[in-house]
Amino acid sequence: MSRTALRICPLCEATCGLTLTIDGTRVTGARGDREDVFSRGFICPKGAAFPALDGDPDRLRVPLVRENGELREATWEEAFDAVAAGIRPVVERHGPHSVGVVLGNPNVHTVAGALYPPLLLGALGTRSVFTASTLDQMPKHVAGGLLYGDAGAIPVPDLDRTAHLLLIGANPLESNGSLCTAPDFPGRLRALRARGGTLTVVDPRRTRTAELADRHLAIRPGADALLLAAMAHVLLEEDLTDLAHLAPHVQGVDELRDAIRDFTPEAVAEACDIDAVTIRALARELAAAPTAAVYGRIGSCTVPHGTLASWLVDVLNILTGNLDRPGGVLFPQAATDRTPRPVGPGRGFALGRWHSRVSNHPEAKGELPISALAEEIDTVTAEGEPIRALVVVAANPVLSAPDGDRLDEALDSLDFMVGVDPYLNETSRHAHVVLPPPPPSQSPHHDFAFNALAVRNQVRYTRPAVPLEPGRMAETEILARLVLAATGGHGTDPAAVDALVIEQTLRKAVGEPHSPVHGRDPRELAAHLTGENGPERRLDMMLRLGPYGDGFGVRPDGLNLDRLLAHPHGIDLGPLRPRLPQRLKTVSGRVELLPRPIADDLPRLREALRERPDGLVLVGRRHLRSNNSWMHNVPALTGGSNRCTLHIHPEDAVRLGVRDGAPVRVKGAGGEVTVPAEVTDRIRPGVVSLPHGWGHDRPGTRLTHASTTPGVNVNQLLDGSRLDPLSGNAVLNGFPVEVTAGG
Ligand SMILES: Nc1nc2c(c(=O)[nH]1)N[C@H]1C(S)=C(S)[C@@H](COP(=O)(O)OP(=O)(O)OC[C@H]3O[C@@H](n4cnc5c(=O)[nH]c(N)nc54)[C@H](O)[C@@H]3O)O[C@H]1N2
Ligand SMILES: Nc1nc2c(c(=O)[nH]1)N[C@H]1C(S)=C(S)[C@@H](COP(=O)(O)OP(=O)(O)OC[C@H]3O[C@@H](n4cnc5c(=O)[nH]c(N)nc54)[C@H](O)[C@@H]3O)O[C@H]1N2
Ligand code: SF4
Ligand SMILES: [Mo]
């Protein structure tokens, strides 16, 4: 007897609705849900492989606890006893910063990851916080923080209405989009072309996305900030700016003009390897387009000038009046966003409120660079205590961050480590306790993070498609118990965590004059909440207090959990709408076009005008059937063109004597790897490419399939010293390597 159940796909940022086929308690099929209000039936090969990923026999079923050096299966009670016994003494003896927390990418794809890590960080009070953000989008947060006063203010391109899209360092045909949640991104790009719009792609590789474009510019890696600065220069010099509706809300245009005066197209052309005529044309086309959106992603963030490039992306959108207007770039409004506050100055955004102990890196958004994790563990300084205990939730930094070999050793030296992870992999194998979450079919889903980055406002929630298997614990409960065990509340009912959050949130809301519940009794409000458990009641509360919410009865047509459950395919909340000036939280209450930290970083960009790499530089690449480091264990998703090979241009191959398919040695500052070459003109000369997330050959893991075709860890080529100084983001693209033929 089979049945079907709906489940939002958690495997990438596109958040497609899936219809799962379920036989007993096993998921046997997945197809796109045609009635999903957002994805309308779209699905990619990863979504289709949901049953295999969900049912992977290597997924851990029960906790593991280290005893006499070996991990053994344990009960949940034993596991949490071990967590409390491992963390509390470290905090008590060495203080809160001696406990580090590492949060990985899947936290933005789970309900648990949205609701509990903030509580863990708050209760621990540690400054040793590291996340995948500093391998990814921290430059966007810093740019948004400085421009708009809110690190969460990231405008997204209005894909379905724009007339002109300039894509910088993004390959949505493989990635399905990022910081721009759009199921069927490829179809939306084709629709843009079909309605007469234009698409330009800037990427050192001729990607599948580039093949779809009107124009592809194979820029020299790392040079995007120069290109974008020159475009802004042209707009200002040729009087092509038109702030339009933004004019009253923007300050600093004249200061910007002065600051970027010397970044002329002629001055940047050689460094970018794009001629000045083309750069001028790009700027003029952007200005002339009826609506336009500039969008930059991984290739513009994970580079030495990532924050400047991210800032300039927004500067171009602002100077052309495309910020906050339909067809341009807009700020989404998610159903679980906080109650919108009144227009007016905010508290602004501060960087570097504290610094890392060893290399003195400034914090950004409360985080330290994950590139500095190993040294914060293995280096003793006079400044303070090293990290002695580590909590790792859904992260695999041994593969995803620079210099995994050093991190391997550092993790081994810890007094205590707990990992929340479904796999025994390159990172979790170092843990003293591994707490495995259930597979996605047994977990609820709501996109707290991605609805705030989506090209259409909409809201969807799916309950677990399959009941929790006996012996399993929901990830929400695992994290609630982890919060308690790590902060001295071990043994307390985990439901108390949610009850406390609800009480505190409602108490605050009733005191806010702009809240729909101002002046009411928090206990009376809490009694209205529905939901089967703590996390559902928290979702209900957030929906009710949110911008579309029922305000606990104030707006009878508004959203709440019951209403959402009555719409299993989701509720469409309409196209993106302008939100300025309400969205601004700067101290001035305006968009601050040339913030001080940015101005102070421009001299470094000026130096880059003169830099020319004389050897090869390496960039990454993604494959549609892969996702970071944890999807190589499913046979259906590996093989074919999804292989860990070094892409190299034919000219470079000839010069270096490299033959297609033959092994090559790649050497970087952090180490070297040997990998098969793939000679292809899809990459520009002077640049080679390796995908990340491979290197599954370490002992002590349980990744049966992945370890048969392990690939190599590209991040071993890095030593962790290359960062974008403003954001602490790792430089993962455009770093120098030496390539030699032979293994
Ligand atoms: N060279 C290079 N390196 C890169 C990148 C690059 O482009 N080039 N990209 C970077 C980017 S953008 C990112 S986001 C990072 C990602 O870096 P990480 O977040 O460290 O890596 P992931 O591979 O996403 O691993 C996540 C871990 O979560 C586990 N996991 C999967 N599902 C769940 C779940 O439901 N619950 C829990 N608790 N755990 C789960 C997996 O088993 C895995 O161990 O990698 C970065 N590294
Ligand atoms: N299939 C698949 N999908 C994924 C993931 C995955 O691993 N696999 N990871 C998910 C995650 S965590 C994220 S953050 C997103 C990322 O989503 P995207 O940003 O779309 O990721 P990439 O495919 O890495 O695209 C980055 C592009 O930048 C180019 N590039 C490299 N250096 C430079 C440069 O200096 N300048 C310019 N202009 N371009 C450059 C690369 O050649 C590459 O094509 O994808 C998500 N979706
Ligand atoms: S595009 Fe992303 S969300 Fe959609 S099915 Fe594929 S992996 Fe899942
Ligand atoms: Mo990412």
Side-chain angles (χ1 to χ4, degrees):
M1 261 291 285
S2 75
R3 63 182 176 96
T4 60
L6 299 175
R7 212 297 178 185
I8 300 160
C9 180
L11 302 177
C12 89
E13 298 185 32
T15 74
C16 302
L18 303 180
T19 305
L20 304 179
T21 308
I22 293 157
D23 286 299
T25 55
R26 222 162 47 86
V27 181
T28 52
R31 56 188 155 79
D33 170 19
R34 272 198 228 139
E35 289 169 70
D36 184 284
V37 293
F38 195 22
S39 65
R40 306 257 172 226
F42 180 79
I43 186 171
C44 86
K46 281 196 295 293
F50 184 101
L53 262 169
D54 196 71
D56 185 346
D58 279 343
R59 278 182 186 268
L60 302 173
R61 281 165 193 278
V62 294
L64 303 178
V65 171
R66 195 169 294 277
E67 203 175 77
N68 304 323
E70 300 288 317
L71 284 171
R72 65 157 176 92
E73 297 196 344
T75 65
W76 289 100
E77 204 182 319
E78 287 174 306
F80 285 106
D81 285 347
V83 174
I87 295 181
R88 290 315 298 163
V90 174
V91 179
E92 278 148 26
R93 228 171 286 150
H94 306 287
H97 311 315
S98 62
V99 179
V101 177
V102 183
L103 302 171
N105 171 273
N107 283 303
V108 283
H109 296 273
T110 64
V111 168
L115 295 182
Y116 299 90
L119 307 178
L120 179 69
L121 300 182
L124 273 175
T126 176
R127 287 181 173 175
S128 305
V129 179
F130 308 84
T131 83
S133 292
T134 51
L135 300 166
D136 183 346
Q137 83 288 359
M138 192 56 93
K140 301 284 291 183
H141 291 304
V142 172
L146 294 171
L147 282 162
Y148 314 116
D150 179 353
I154 297 177
V156 307
D158 194 3
L159 272 193
D160 298 339
R161 292 184 289 182
T162 194
H164 184 92
L165 183 62
L166 175 57
L167 277 180
I168 318 276
N171 186 11
L173 262 77
E174 304 287 353
S175 70
N176 286 312
S178 178
L179 302 185
C180 177
T181 283
D184 195 12
F185 209 123
R188 290 173 203 260
L189 291 182
R190 286 187 200 103
L192 160 74
R193 297 289 313 277
R195 65 175 179 265
T198 53
L199 173 65
T200 301
V201 170
V202 180
D203 195 309
R205 301 184 308 118
R206 195 177 73 250
T207 59
R208 282 171 59 220
T209 309
E211 279 175 343
L212 215 68
D214 299 88
R215 167 147 52 188
H216 168 219
L217 297 168
I219 194 169
R220 206 192 299 278
D224 300 84
L226 291 172
L227 169 71
L228 298 168
M231 288 176 66
H233 173 94
V234 172
L235 294 178
L236 290 161
E237 179 198 50
E238 298 187 3
D239 232 354
L240 298 174
T241 61
D242 178 10
L243 270 67
H245 62 291
L246 296 172
H249 308 303
V250 175
Q251 66 178 43
V253 178
D254 292 333
E255 291 82 351
L256 173 73
R257 188 192 315 267
D258 286 344
I260 61 170
R261 203 175 285 281
D262 39 355
F263 295 100
T264 63
E266 291 71 22
V268 307
E270 203 190 326
C272 298
D273 202 10
I274 299 176
D275 61 77
V277 173
T278 303
I279 298 174
R280 284 188 188 276
L282 284 178
R284 290 173 190 153
E285 283 166 22
L286 188 68
T291 58
V294 186
Y295 163 75
R297 227 20 302 275
I298 285 292
S300 65
C301 285
T302 56
V303 288
H305 303 282
T307 301
L308 289 186
S310 298
W311 163 70
L312 284 160
V313 161
D314 283 39
V315 163
L316 289 174
N317 286 322
I318 293 165
L319 292 179
T320 52
N322 280 304
L323 175 73
D324 205 44
R325 79 159 172 201
V329 298
L330 296 121
F331 298 106
Q333 176 90 78
T336 53
D337 282 351
R338 287 210 199 126
T339 317
R341 58 172 202 98
V343 172
R347 265 186 294 177
F349 171 78
L351 268 175
R353 292 164 297 171
W354 57 84
H355 289 75
S356 73
R357 189 177 51 87
V358 181
S359 292
N360 205 35
H361 297 302
E363 64 78 34
K365 204 170 162 267
E367 299 181 22
L368 298 174
I370 198 164
S371 299
L373 174 60
E375 70 181 22
E376 290 295 313
I377 298 171
D378 69 17
T379 310
V380 176
T381 64
E383 319 304 316
E385 294 284 337
I387 294 171
R388 293 169 195 271
L390 202 62
V391 180
V392 182
V393 184
N396 192 6
V398 170
L399 293 189
S400 49
D403 199 354
D405 287 352
R406 179 173 178 184
L407 192 55
D408 250 340
E409 281 185 30
L411 296 179
D412 251 349
S413 75
L414 289 165
D415 291 353
F416 182 76
M417 169 176 157
V418 52
V420 183
D421 207 288
Y423 286 106
L424 188 59
N425 65 12
E426 297 76 15
T427 297
S428 63
R429 73 194 175 108
H430 294 285
H432 297 81
V433 178
V434 185
L435 305 168
S441 63
Q442 296 175 31
S443 305
H445 194 84
H446 172 74
D447 285 295
F448 288 97
F450 298 124
N451 287 348
L453 294 161
V455 297
R456 211 174 155 89
N457 292 321
Q458 40 70 45
V459 56
R460 293 164 295 157
Y461 174 64
T462 46
R463 280 184 164 157
V466 173
L468 268 186
E469 209 177 6
R472 288 276 191 193
M473 186 179 280
E475 188 163 11
T476 47
E477 183 175 340
I478 294 174
L479 294 192
R481 285 186 189 271
L482 181 62
V483 171
L484 292 167
T487 58
H490 181 44
T492 310
D493 178 0
V497 174
D498 299 308
L500 187 68
V501 173
I502 288 170
E503 190 205 307
Q504 288 175 344
T505 310
L506 291 175
R507 197 147 23 91
K508 186 154 173 270
V510 298
E512 288 172 338
H514 64 274
S515 170
V517 295
H518 182 230
R520 290 173 67 179
D521 172 9
R523 267 178 316 184
E524 174 251 332
L525 297 176
H528 287 287
L529 294 174
T530 64
E532 287 179 345
N533 47 43
E536 279 200 348
R537 278 191 287 280
R538 287 175 66 185
L539 175 60
D540 189 28
M541 173 182 71
M542 291 166 82
L543 291 170
R544 287 168 184 258
L545 291 176
Y548 311 91
D550 71 1
F552 287 83
V554 175
R555 294 182 293 249
D557 300 337
L559 266 181
N560 55 36
L561 181 66
D562 282 344
R563 189 148 293 144
L564 191 50
L565 286 168
H567 294 82
H569 307 282
I571 299 176
D572 182 44
L573 300 167
L576 303 186
R577 283 179 283 272
R579 290 189 58 196
L580 291 187
Q582 187 274 331
R583 192 71 185 83
L584 301 175
K585 293 186 189 165
T586 48
V587 175
S588 63
R590 306 218 281 170
V591 177
E592 298 177 359
L593 206 52
L594 184 67
R596 168 65 44 205
I598 294 280
D600 290 347
D601 199 28
L602 282 172
R604 200 171 55 89
L605 187 62
R606 218 160 273 130
E607 281 166 33
L609 283 172
R610 288 186 298 277
E611 284 164 18
R612 301 282 178 284
D614 41 15
L616 290 171
V617 296
L618 187 141
V619 299
R621 67 174 191 271
R622 283 176 158 78
H623 192 286
L624 183 58
R625 282 186 294 123
S626 193
N627 186 58
N628 297 336
S629 76
W630 67 280
M631 279 185 206
H632 298 138
N633 204 46
V634 171
L637 291 176
T638 54
S641 57
N642 183 17
R643 290 187 305 130
C644 186
T645 57
L646 185 82
H647 283 186
I648 183 166
H649 188 271
E651 282 171 22
D652 291 319
V654 168
R655 186 167 50 83
L656 296 167
V658 167
R659 277 177 306 111
D660 190 51
V664 283
R665 239 188 2 246
V666 190
K667 195 166 166 236
E672 75 177 57
V673 298
T674 299
V675 58
E678 197 174 330
V679 179
T680 167
D681 68 0
R682 288 178 155 272
I683 192 153
R684 54 163 283 158
V687 183
V688 293
S689 167
L690 266 180
H692 71 284
W694 296 86
H696 306 291
D697 51 1
R698 287 167 153 81
T701 64
R702 191 182 304 164
L703 299 166
T704 311
H705 178 68
S707 55
T708 61
T709 39
V712 299
N713 176 12
V714 63
N715 289 325
Q716 199 50 55
L717 301 172
L718 291 160
D719 64 5
S721 65
R722 279 175 195 269
L723 298 177
D724 166 36
L726 277 181
S727 63
N729 209 90
V731 172
L732 303 171
N733 277 291
F735 59 88
V737 291
E738 281 169 39
V739 172
T740 42

